[in-house]
PDB file of all heavy atoms in Angstrom:
ATOM      1  N   LYS C   1     -93.034  34.073 -24.067  1.00 51.00           N
ATOM      2  CA  LYS C   1     -93.636  33.808 -22.725  1.00 51.00           C
ATOM      3  C   LYS C   1     -94.512  32.557 -22.750  1.00 51.00           C
ATOM      4  O   LYS C   1     -95.314  32.323 -21.935  1.00 51.00           O
ATOM      5  CB  LYS C   1     -94.518  35.035 -22.361  1.00 51.00           C
ATOM      6  CG  LYS C   1     -93.723  36.260 -22.169  1.00 51.00           C
ATOM      7  CD  LYS C   1     -94.532  37.407 -21.739  1.00 51.00           C
ATOM      8  CE  LYS C   1     -93.569  38.526 -21.450  1.00 51.00           C
ATOM      9  NZ  LYS C   1     -93.992  39.863 -21.808  1.00 51.00           N
ATOM     10  N   LYS C   2     -94.237  31.644 -23.793  1.00 51.00           N
ATOM     11  CA  LYS C   2     -95.057  30.472 -23.977  1.00 51.00           C
ATOM     12  C   LYS C   2     -94.793  29.417 -22.915  1.00 51.00           C
ATOM     13  O   LYS C   2     -93.722  28.888 -22.858  1.00 51.00           O
ATOM     14  CB  LYS C   2     -94.870  29.939 -25.307  1.00 51.00           C
ATOM     15  CG  LYS C   2     -95.480  28.582 -25.639  1.00 51.00           C
ATOM     16  CD  LYS C   2     -96.899  28.810 -26.147  1.00 51.00           C
ATOM     17  CE  LYS C   2     -97.441  27.562 -26.794  1.00 51.00           C
ATOM     18  NZ  LYS C   2     -98.278  26.788 -25.865  1.00 51.00           N
ATOM     19  N   GLY C   3     -95.791  29.061 -22.117  1.00 58.00           N
ATOM     20  CA  GLY C   3     -95.767  27.863 -21.304  1.00 58.00           C
ATOM     21  C   GLY C   3     -94.675  27.804 -20.197  1.00 58.00           C
ATOM     22  O   GLY C   3     -93.755  28.607 -20.173  1.00 58.00           O
ATOM     23  N   MET C   4     -94.784  26.805 -19.367  1.00 61.00           N
ATOM     24  CA  MET C   4     -93.801  26.616 -18.319  1.00 61.00           C
ATOM     25  C   MET C   4     -92.492  26.125 -18.825  1.00 61.00           C
ATOM     26  O   MET C   4     -91.439  26.400 -18.306  1.00 61.00           O
ATOM     27  CB  MET C   4     -94.373  25.534 -17.276  1.00 61.00           C
ATOM     28  CG  MET C   4     -95.461  26.075 -16.423  1.00 61.00           C
ATOM     29  SD  MET C   4     -95.006  27.579 -15.481  1.00 61.00           S
ATOM     30  CE  MET C   4     -93.828  26.840 -14.408  1.00 61.00           C
ATOM     31  N   GLY C   5     -92.510  25.412 -19.980  1.00 71.00           N
ATOM     32  CA  GLY C   5     -91.277  24.895 -20.565  1.00 71.00           C
ATOM     33  C   GLY C   5     -90.306  26.016 -20.841  1.00 71.00           C
ATOM     34  O   GLY C   5     -89.143  25.972 -20.449  1.00 71.00           O
ATOM     35  N   LEU C   6     -90.772  26.982 -21.541  1.00 82.00           N
ATOM     36  CA  LEU C   6     -89.853  28.082 -21.949  1.00 82.00           C
ATOM     37  C   LEU C   6     -89.512  29.017 -20.713  1.00 82.00           C
ATOM     38  O   LEU C   6     -88.444  29.486 -20.628  1.00 82.00           O
ATOM     39  CB  LEU C   6     -90.420  29.009 -23.028  1.00 82.00           C
ATOM     40  CG  LEU C   6     -90.247  28.493 -24.530  1.00 82.00           C
ATOM     41  CD1 LEU C   6     -90.916  29.402 -25.476  1.00 82.00           C
ATOM     42  CD2 LEU C   6     -88.796  28.258 -24.811  1.00 82.00           C
ATOM     43  N   SER C   7     -90.375  29.055 -19.781  1.00 84.00           N
ATOM     44  CA  SER C   7     -90.108  29.767 -18.522  1.00 84.00           C
ATOM     45  C   SER C   7     -88.995  29.102 -17.798  1.00 84.00           C
ATOM     46  O   SER C   7     -88.110  29.763 -17.331  1.00 84.00           O
ATOM     47  CB  SER C   7     -91.417  29.824 -17.664  1.00 84.00           C
ATOM     48  OG  SER C   7     -91.059  30.400 -16.434  1.00 84.00           O
ATOM     49  N   SER C   8     -89.029  27.822 -17.712  1.00 85.00           N
ATOM     50  CA  SER C   8     -87.959  27.024 -17.045  1.00 85.00           C
ATOM     51  C   SER C   8     -86.672  27.142 -17.754  1.00 85.00           C
ATOM     52  O   SER C   8     -85.595  27.331 -17.161  1.00 85.00           O
ATOM     53  CB  SER C   8     -88.399  25.539 -17.003  1.00 85.00           C
ATOM     54  OG  SER C   8     -87.330  24.773 -16.548  1.00 85.00           O
ATOM     55  N   ILE C   9     -86.753  27.185 -19.094  1.00 91.00           N
ATOM     56  CA  ILE C   9     -85.509  27.344 -19.889  1.00 91.00           C
ATOM     57  C   ILE C   9     -84.899  28.726 -19.727  1.00 91.00           C
ATOM     58  O   ILE C   9     -83.672  28.868 -19.602  1.00 91.00           O
ATOM     59  CB  ILE C   9     -85.835  27.083 -21.388  1.00 91.00           C
ATOM     60  CG1 ILE C   9     -86.147  25.574 -21.598  1.00 91.00           C
ATOM     61  CG2 ILE C   9     -84.733  27.520 -22.303  1.00 91.00           C
ATOM     62  CD1 ILE C   9     -86.733  25.214 -22.949  1.00 91.00           C
ATOM     63  N   ARG C  10     -85.754  29.730 -19.663  1.00 88.00           N
ATOM     64  CA  ARG C  10     -85.278  31.102 -19.444  1.00 88.00           C
ATOM     65  C   ARG C  10     -84.560  31.222 -18.093  1.00 88.00           C
ATOM     66  O   ARG C  10     -83.516  31.839 -17.995  1.00 88.00           O
ATOM     67  CB  ARG C  10     -86.401  32.118 -19.510  1.00 88.00           C
ATOM     68  CG  ARG C  10     -86.831  32.290 -20.965  1.00 88.00           C
ATOM     69  CD  ARG C  10     -87.827  33.448 -21.130  1.00 88.00           C
ATOM     70  NE  ARG C  10     -88.356  33.525 -22.489  1.00 88.00           N
ATOM     71  CZ  ARG C  10     -87.692  33.959 -23.535  1.00 88.00           C
ATOM     72  NH1 ARG C  10     -86.484  34.384 -23.438  1.00 88.00           N
ATOM     73  NH2 ARG C  10     -88.277  33.951 -24.725  1.00 88.00           N
ATOM     74  N   LYS C  11     -85.079  30.548 -17.045  1.00 88.00           N
ATOM     75  CA  LYS C  11     -84.423  30.563 -15.716  1.00 88.00           C
ATOM     76  C   LYS C  11     -83.091  29.901 -15.771  1.00 88.00           C
ATOM     77  O   LYS C  11     -82.153  30.402 -15.204  1.00 88.00           O
ATOM     78  CB  LYS C  11     -85.352  29.897 -14.701  1.00 88.00           C
ATOM     79  CG  LYS C  11     -86.569  30.723 -14.355  1.00 88.00           C
ATOM     80  CD  LYS C  11     -87.423  29.998 -13.321  1.00 88.00           C
ATOM     81  CE  LYS C  11     -88.699  30.794 -13.063  1.00 88.00           C
ATOM     82  NZ  LYS C  11     -89.627  30.068 -12.197  1.00 88.00           N
ATOM     83  N   ARG C  12     -82.996  28.742 -16.495  1.00 88.00           N
ATOM     84  CA  ARG C  12     -81.718  28.076 -16.629  1.00 88.00           C
ATOM     85  C   ARG C  12     -80.705  28.895 -17.322  1.00 88.00           C
ATOM     86  O   ARG C  12     -79.570  29.015 -16.987  1.00 88.00           O
ATOM     87  CB  ARG C  12     -81.888  26.721 -17.282  1.00 88.00           C
ATOM     88  CG  ARG C  12     -82.525  25.673 -16.453  1.00 88.00           C
ATOM     89  CD  ARG C  12     -82.533  24.348 -17.139  1.00 88.00           C
ATOM     90  NE  ARG C  12     -83.191  23.330 -16.439  1.00 88.00           N
ATOM     91  CZ  ARG C  12     -82.680  22.563 -15.530  1.00 88.00           C
ATOM     92  NH1 ARG C  12     -81.410  22.712 -15.208  1.00 88.00           N
ATOM     93  NH2 ARG C  12     -83.386  21.665 -14.884  1.00 88.00           N
ATOM     94  N   MET C  13     -81.204  29.549 -18.412  1.00 93.00           N
ATOM     95  CA  MET C  13     -80.291  30.406 -19.228  1.00 93.00           C
ATOM     96  C   MET C  13     -79.784  31.536 -18.422  1.00 93.00           C
ATOM     97  O   MET C  13     -78.568  31.870 -18.462  1.00 93.00           O
ATOM     98  CB  MET C  13     -81.077  31.003 -20.434  1.00 93.00           C
ATOM     99  CG  MET C  13     -81.445  29.941 -21.428  1.00 93.00           C
ATOM    100  SD  MET C  13     -80.024  29.179 -22.314  1.00 93.00           S
ATOM    101  CE  MET C  13     -79.429  30.597 -23.195  1.00 93.00           C
ATOM    102  N   LYS C  14     -80.660  32.153 -17.593  1.00 90.00           N
ATOM    103  CA  LYS C  14     -80.154  33.288 -16.759  1.00 90.00           C
ATOM    104  C   LYS C  14     -79.117  32.779 -15.712  1.00 90.00           C
ATOM    105  O   LYS C  14     -78.142  33.467 -15.494  1.00 90.00           O
ATOM    106  CB  LYS C  14     -81.364  33.874 -16.002  1.00 90.00           C
ATOM    107  CG  LYS C  14     -81.023  35.093 -15.196  1.00 90.00           C
ATOM    108  CD  LYS C  14     -82.249  35.729 -14.604  1.00 90.00           C
ATOM    109  CE  LYS C  14     -81.886  36.952 -13.824  1.00 90.00           C
ATOM    110  NZ  LYS C  14     -83.033  37.621 -13.203  1.00 90.00           N
ATOM    111  N   ALA C  15     -79.370  31.585 -15.200  1.00 88.00           N
ATOM    112  CA  ALA C  15     -78.424  31.039 -14.221  1.00 88.00           C
ATOM    113  C   ALA C  15     -77.031  30.795 -14.770  1.00 88.00           C
ATOM    114  O   ALA C  15     -76.052  30.900 -14.054  1.00 88.00           O
ATOM    115  CB  ALA C  15     -79.013  29.705 -13.642  1.00 88.00           C
ATOM    116  N   ILE C  16     -76.971  30.542 -16.074  1.00 92.00           N
ATOM    117  CA  ILE C  16     -75.612  30.243 -16.652  1.00 92.00           C
ATOM    118  C   ILE C  16     -75.153  31.371 -17.562  1.00 92.00           C
ATOM    119  O   ILE C  16     -74.151  31.183 -18.289  1.00 92.00           O
ATOM    120  CB  ILE C  16     -75.511  28.849 -17.314  1.00 92.00           C
ATOM    121  CG1 ILE C  16     -76.628  28.716 -18.363  1.00 92.00           C
ATOM    122  CG2 ILE C  16     -75.684  27.783 -16.282  1.00 92.00           C
ATOM    123  CD1 ILE C  16     -76.556  27.372 -19.142  1.00 92.00           C
ATOM    124  N   GLY C  17     -75.843  32.503 -17.602  1.00 92.00           N
ATOM    125  CA  GLY C  17     -75.396  33.646 -18.350  1.00 92.00           C
ATOM    126  C   GLY C  17     -75.497  33.547 -19.862  1.00 92.00           C
ATOM    127  O   GLY C  17     -74.709  34.137 -20.608  1.00 92.00           O
ATOM    128  N   GLY C  18     -76.505  32.842 -20.353  1.00 95.00           N
ATOM    129  CA  GLY C  18     -76.707  32.722 -21.793  1.00 95.00           C
ATOM    130  C   GLY C  18     -77.797  33.607 -22.308  1.00 95.00           C
ATOM    131  O   GLY C  18     -78.588  34.170 -21.495  1.00 95.00           O
ATOM    132  N   SER C  19     -77.865  33.795 -23.616  1.00 95.00           N
ATOM    133  CA  SER C  19     -78.949  34.574 -24.213  1.00 95.00           C
ATOM    134  C   SER C  19     -79.786  33.568 -25.023  1.00 95.00           C
ATOM    135  O   SER C  19     -79.300  32.566 -25.506  1.00 95.00           O
ATOM    136  CB  SER C  19     -78.399  35.657 -25.096  1.00 95.00           C
ATOM    137  OG  SER C  19     -77.579  35.159 -26.176  1.00 95.00           O
ATOM    138  N   LEU C  20     -81.077  33.976 -25.178  1.00 95.00           N
ATOM    139  CA  LEU C  20     -82.076  33.013 -25.839  1.00 95.00           C
ATOM    140  C   LEU C  20     -82.901  33.821 -26.753  1.00 95.00           C
ATOM    141  O   LEU C  20     -83.352  34.921 -26.384  1.00 95.00           O
ATOM    142  CB  LEU C  20     -82.914  32.403 -24.721  1.00 95.00           C
ATOM    143  CG  LEU C  20     -84.145  31.537 -25.189  1.00 95.00           C
ATOM    144  CD1 LEU C  20     -83.640  30.192 -25.752  1.00 95.00           C
ATOM    145  CD2 LEU C  20     -85.073  31.315 -24.059  1.00 95.00           C
ATOM    146  N   SER C  21     -83.138  33.341 -27.970  1.00 95.00           N
ATOM    147  CA  SER C  21     -84.142  33.948 -28.816  1.00 95.00           C
ATOM    148  C   SER C  21     -85.028  32.845 -29.413  1.00 95.00           C
ATOM    149  O   SER C  21     -84.593  31.700 -29.601  1.00 95.00           O
ATOM    150  CB  SER C  21     -83.501  34.711 -29.966  1.00 95.00           C
ATOM    151  OG  SER C  21     -82.840  33.900 -30.860  1.00 95.00           O
ATOM    152  N   VAL C  22     -86.313  33.141 -29.543  1.00 94.00           N
ATOM    153  CA  VAL C  22     -87.363  32.230 -29.960  1.00 94.00           C
ATOM    154  C   VAL C  22     -87.936  32.862 -31.263  1.00 94.00           C
ATOM    155  O   VAL C  22     -88.457  33.976 -31.186  1.00 94.00           O
ATOM    156  CB  VAL C  22     -88.409  32.000 -28.972  1.00 94.00           C
ATOM    157  CG1 VAL C  22     -89.465  31.007 -29.489  1.00 94.00           C
ATOM    158  CG2 VAL C  22     -87.754  31.450 -27.655  1.00 94.00           C
ATOM    159  N   GLU C  23     -87.998  32.096 -32.360  1.00 95.00           N
ATOM    160  CA  GLU C  23     -88.684  32.501 -33.587  1.00 95.00           C
ATOM    161  C   GLU C  23     -89.637  31.380 -33.897  1.00 95.00           C
ATOM    162  O   GLU C  23     -89.241  30.214 -33.961  1.00 95.00           O
ATOM    163  CB  GLU C  23     -87.723  32.717 -34.695  1.00 95.00           C
ATOM    164  CG  GLU C  23     -86.831  33.891 -34.474  1.00 95.00           C
ATOM    165  CD  GLU C  23     -85.916  34.202 -35.670  1.00 95.00           C
ATOM    166  OE1 GLU C  23     -86.198  33.712 -36.787  1.00 95.00           O
ATOM    167  OE2 GLU C  23     -84.863  34.884 -35.482  1.00 95.00           O
ATOM    168  N   SER C  24     -90.871  31.770 -34.186  1.00 94.00           N
ATOM    169  CA  SER C  24     -91.948  30.759 -34.534  1.00 94.00           C
ATOM    170  C   SER C  24     -92.872  31.363 -35.527  1.00 94.00           C
ATOM    171  O   SER C  24     -93.358  32.469 -35.422  1.00 94.00           O
ATOM    172  CB  SER C  24     -92.665  30.340 -33.231  1.00 94.00           C
ATOM    173  OG  SER C  24     -93.580  29.308 -33.627  1.00 94.00           O
ATOM    174  N   VAL C  25     -93.151  30.530 -36.551  1.00 91.00           N
ATOM    175  CA  VAL C  25     -94.137  30.904 -37.586  1.00 91.00           C
ATOM    176  C   VAL C  25     -95.202  29.839 -37.462  1.00 91.00           C
ATOM    177  O   VAL C  25     -94.977  28.676 -37.731  1.00 91.00           O
ATOM    178  CB  VAL C  25     -93.508  30.949 -38.979  1.00 91.00           C
ATOM    179  CG1 VAL C  25     -94.533  31.260 -40.029  1.00 91.00           C
ATOM    180  CG2 VAL C  25     -92.346  31.951 -38.975  1.00 91.00           C
ATOM    181  N   PRO C  26     -96.524  30.288 -37.136  1.00 92.00           N
ATOM    182  CA  PRO C  26     -97.580  29.272 -37.069  1.00 92.00           C
ATOM    183  C   PRO C  26     -97.611  28.476 -38.353  1.00 92.00           C
ATOM    184  O   PRO C  26     -97.670  29.026 -39.463  1.00 92.00           O
ATOM    185  CB  PRO C  26     -98.771  30.156 -36.833  1.00 92.00           C
ATOM    186  CG  PRO C  26     -98.278  31.344 -36.124  1.00 92.00           C
ATOM    187  CD  PRO C  26     -96.908  31.608 -36.780  1.00 92.00           C
ATOM    188  N   GLY C  27     -97.646  27.169 -38.241  1.00 91.00           N
ATOM    189  CA  GLY C  27     -97.703  26.281 -39.339  1.00 91.00           C
ATOM    190  C   GLY C  27     -96.334  26.023 -40.028  1.00 91.00           C
ATOM    191  O   GLY C  27     -96.266  25.192 -40.983  1.00 91.00           O
ATOM    192  N   ASP C  28     -95.327  26.640 -39.556  1.00 92.00           N
ATOM    193  CA  ASP C  28     -94.018  26.544 -40.265  1.00 92.00           C
ATOM    194  C   ASP C  28     -92.815  26.346 -39.220  1.00 92.00           C
ATOM    195  O   ASP C  28     -91.728  26.706 -39.550  1.00 92.00           O
ATOM    196  CB  ASP C  28     -93.767  27.731 -41.129  1.00 92.00           C
ATOM    197  CG  ASP C  28     -92.737  27.449 -42.201  1.00 92.00           C
ATOM    198  OD1 ASP C  28     -92.490  26.342 -42.591  1.00 92.00           O
ATOM    199  OD2 ASP C  28     -92.026  28.427 -42.643  1.00 92.00           O
ATOM    200  N   GLY C  29     -93.100  25.832 -38.036  1.00 96.00           N
ATOM    201  CA  GLY C  29     -92.035  25.475 -37.109  1.00 96.00           C
ATOM    202  C   GLY C  29     -91.585  26.548 -36.172  1.00 96.00           C
ATOM    203  O   GLY C  29     -92.048  27.653 -36.177  1.00 96.00           O
ATOM    204  N   THR C  30     -90.636  26.126 -35.377  1.00 96.00           N
ATOM    205  CA  THR C  30     -90.079  26.955 -34.340  1.00 96.00           C
ATOM    206  C   THR C  30     -88.543  26.810 -34.330  1.00 96.00           C
ATOM    207  O   THR C  30     -88.021  25.707 -34.565  1.00 96.00           O
ATOM    208  CB  THR C  30     -90.619  26.523 -32.995  1.00 96.00           C
ATOM    209  OG1 THR C  30     -92.054  26.712 -33.011  1.00 96.00           O
ATOM    210  CG2 THR C  30     -90.072  27.390 -31.846  1.00 96.00           C
TER     211      THR C  30
END
């Protein structure tokens, strides 16, 4: 649920029928 950027991406993904997963480790990338 991070920021407007991912919110916008989730909307685009839904529009084109894709799935999305986000993995992030603080200090070790996304």
Side-chain angles (χ1 to χ4, degrees):
K1 296 181 176 143
K2 173 87 166 98
M4 289 301 294
L6 279 178
S7 175
S8 171
I9 289 167
R10 287 189 187 285
K11 286 178 185 175
R12 286 186 186 272
M13 292 294 293
K14 186 176 181 180
I16 57 177
S19 63
L20 173 76
S21 67
V22 179
E23 293 182 20
S24 184
V25 177
D28 200 26
T30 301

